[in-house]
């Protein structure tokens, strides 16, 4: 019984330590689409709008445990989910030798 009380107190302390509240929130749903946004007291936020075809433009942001502001903008449409952010990994540049080889192949198509 004492262990259970300790566990409940620890859970309450954890929730109290992360006391995050909604600063603002709005939703507007229409026949031709929607707009929605929410922002929290910890710096987290989400905003998005969509149209009747299911296309969505939006963004979400938060502050990392290291204190870095993270923001991701995105489009979700017939081409899938397309996020854009400075924090997303990107592929390395294509080596010059590969680019030259691709140009040669394009200029000299196979005769088969």
């Amino acid at each position: 019984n004492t262990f259970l009380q300790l566990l409940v107190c620890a859970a309450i302390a954890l929730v109290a330590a992360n006391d995050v509240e909604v600063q603002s929130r709005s939703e507007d749903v229409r026949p031709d689409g929607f707009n929605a946004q929410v922002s929290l007291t910890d710096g987290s936020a989400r905003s998005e709008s969509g149209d009747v075809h299911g296309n969505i433009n939006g963004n979400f942001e938060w502050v990392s445990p290291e204190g870095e502001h993270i923001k991701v903008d995105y489009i979700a449409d017939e081409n899938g989910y397309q996020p854009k952010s400075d924090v997303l990994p990107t592929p390395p540049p294509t080596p010059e030798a590969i680019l030259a080889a691709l140009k040669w192949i394009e200029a000299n198509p196979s005769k088969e």
Side-chain angles (χ1 to χ4, degrees):
N1 194 11
T2 303
F3 178 72
L4 182 58
Q5 289 174 340
L6 183 61
L7 186 60
V8 169
C9 288
I12 290 170
L14 182 60
V15 169
N18 293 323
D19 194 20
V20 177
E21 295 182 16
V22 174
Q23 281 184 320
S24 67
R25 177 180 174 184
S26 69
E27 285 102 14
D28 178 25
V29 179
R30 306 172 309 278
D32 65 340
F34 72 93
N35 292 317
Q37 72 83 26
V38 64
S39 62
L40 307 177
T41 56
D42 69 351
S44 301
R46 174 191 60 88
S47 177
E48 59 189 0
S49 62
D51 65 22
V52 69
H53 305 291
N55 301 313
I56 299 174
N57 290 310
N59 63 63
F60 52 92
E61 58 190 293
W62 71 93
V63 177
S64 74
E66 298 78 26
E68 181 182 3
H69 179 252
I70 309 292
K71 183 174 182 183
V72 177
D73 296 308
Y74 65 90
I75 296 173
D77 60 15
E78 66 274 359
N79 297 313
Y81 178 71
Q82 304 156 58
K84 293 180 183 172
S85 176
D86 292 341
V87 299
L88 295 175
T90 58
T94 305
E96 288 298 321
I98 299 296
L99 292 173
L102 291 172
K103 282 184 181 179
W104 187 89
I105 291 169
E106 186 178 339
N108 301 287
S110 174
K111 295 179 181 166
E112 293 178 15

